[in-house]
Amino acid sequence: MQFTNQIKGNPLVERKNQTEVAGYGSQLGTIMDFLEVLEKTCRLDPDKIKDPADRRKVERFLGLLRDINKAKGTEISA
């Protein structure tokens, strides 16, 4: 898989992060896992969010999380 060469910030640092720390997928996976813990802990209910734009953001996140977990075979009950 090839990513764009138009990296923002310091390209040397970005390359080092990707090769020595974690690739993009691993970084995003860690962030999604963390956000899932926050969502479970806070028992986030999109219906209680008054701002429609914020509600859509939460619903999109929860949908993405469900789809990722389904693809990984680790579906969660919502």
Side-chain angles (χ1 to χ4, degrees):
M1 186 174 293
Q2 182 69 31
F3 291 98
T4 180
N5 289 333
Q6 299 175 358
I7 295 174
K8 302 288 184 196
N10 184 329
L12 293 175
V13 172
E14 292 297 324
R15 182 178 258 322
K16 189 171 184 171
N17 283 338
Q18 291 174 40
T19 58
E20 296 179 23
V21 179
Y24 288 125
S26 180
Q27 291 175 39
L28 287 172
T30 299
I31 292 167
M32 291 299 292
D33 290 346
F34 174 75
L35 291 174
E36 181 178 6
V37 170
L38 286 180
E39 188 277 325
K40 285 183 198 177
T41 303
C42 297
R43 307 214 188 282
L44 192 57
D45 182 357
D47 294 331
K48 293 181 180 179
I49 299 172
K50 294 180 182 178
D51 184 305
D54 287 344
R55 185 172 33 255
R56 282 191 299 276
K57 291 173 189 174
V58 169
E59 289 169 347
R60 282 180 42 208
F61 166 75
L62 293 174
L64 178 62
L65 183 60
R66 277 191 299 273
D67 291 346
I68 290 170
N69 285 332
K70 183 177 180 180
K72 290 181 356 184
T74 57
E75 293 181 62
I76 57 171
S77 58

